Amino acid sequence: MMLDSETKAVELPEDHGTELRLWLRLLTCTTLIEGEVRSRLRERFDVTLPRFDLMAQLDKAPDGMTLSDLSKRMMVSNGNVTGLVERLVESGHLDRRTSDTDRRVQFIRLTKLGRAEFRKMAAEHETWIADIFGDLSHKDIRELMRLLAKTKASAQRSAKARTP
């Protein structure tokens, strides 16, 4: 049986500080959830998580957005987005047009087909997430959200303090 990083840290707790064990627990949870979502998207819709994420961003922008804005929202390079866009244009899920004012700028948006298929995926995705967190009560979720917000603020403060 392969052990994850968190399990290894728990076996030898004297070797790891509390904060490190917390980091490993967060990482393990994220990895488990993301892996499950990836599997379900692939099995049910034959789509990758990056394609789903790209379509989710475009679903929020009915008029579309530029490749550059899309890559910023997804926090990936323009090159990563370009490859995804190419495949989704070829499959009929996206429409691409060049800006009238700047030929270097391309606008991307979901087609009717793309929007309809994404919304089916998004509805099932929401059900999957509810299932994954099904053992948590509403009170547990509220408390976890509060603690994660505090964690996020601490991480942002630390990053800001480190930046000159």
Side-chain angles (χ1 to χ4, degrees):
M1 179 173 126
M2 191 167 132
L3 299 178
D4 58 43
S5 298
E6 179 191 2
T7 305
K8 290 176 187 175
V10 171
E11 287 180 344
L12 299 168
E14 66 279 358
D15 291 348
H16 303 283
T18 304
E19 293 84 0
L20 179 58
R21 289 195 316 272
L22 172 60
W23 160 243
L24 293 172
R25 167 96 25 113
L26 289 169
L27 186 60
T28 299
C29 289
T30 300
T31 301
L32 286 169
I33 294 165
E34 183 178 318
E36 184 61 20
V37 169
R38 282 179 188 277
S39 292
R40 291 182 188 199
L41 283 170
R42 187 175 44 256
E43 290 165 10
R44 178 70 177 95
F45 298 104
D46 193 30
V47 73
T48 64
L49 184 56
R51 285 186 191 189
F52 177 83
D53 289 344
L54 185 146
M55 293 172 81
Q57 291 301 322
L58 290 173
D59 190 56
K60 298 173 196 170
D63 294 331
M65 65 178 69
T66 65
L67 273 176
S68 179
D69 287 341
L70 189 54
S71 66
K72 285 177 193 165
R73 284 190 182 206
M74 292 181 68
M75 295 184 280
V76 297
S77 71
N78 282 347
N80 287 347
V81 170
T82 300
L84 289 171
V85 166
E86 290 297 326
R87 288 185 290 282
L88 287 166
V89 166
E90 289 172 10
S91 67
H93 292 90
L94 296 185
D95 178 47
R96 177 181 40 211
R97 64 181 169 79
T98 304
S99 168
D100 295 334
T101 58
D102 186 344
R103 306 293 293 162
R104 297 169 296 174
V105 176
Q106 293 186 18
F107 285 93
I108 310 301
R109 68 176 178 190
L110 289 170
T111 60
K112 276 188 177 183
L113 170 70
R115 190 167 310 282
E117 289 193 8
F118 170 75
R119 293 205 172 153
K120 284 181 200 170
M121 288 186 274
E124 283 199 40
H125 176 267
E126 188 172 344
T127 302
W128 301 337
I129 297 301
D131 176 60
I132 289 168
F133 289 107
D135 293 341
L136 300 176
S137 69
H138 289 293
K139 182 181 176 188
D140 292 336
I141 291 171
R142 282 192 308 275
E143 181 66 4
L144 188 53
M145 291 293 286
R146 184 187 70 75
L147 290 170
L148 288 172
K150 194 172 180 179
T151 302
K152 180 180 176 182
S154 180
Q156 288 172 327
R157 179 209 41 80
S158 177
K160 186 176 180 182
R162 190 181 57 78
T163 306

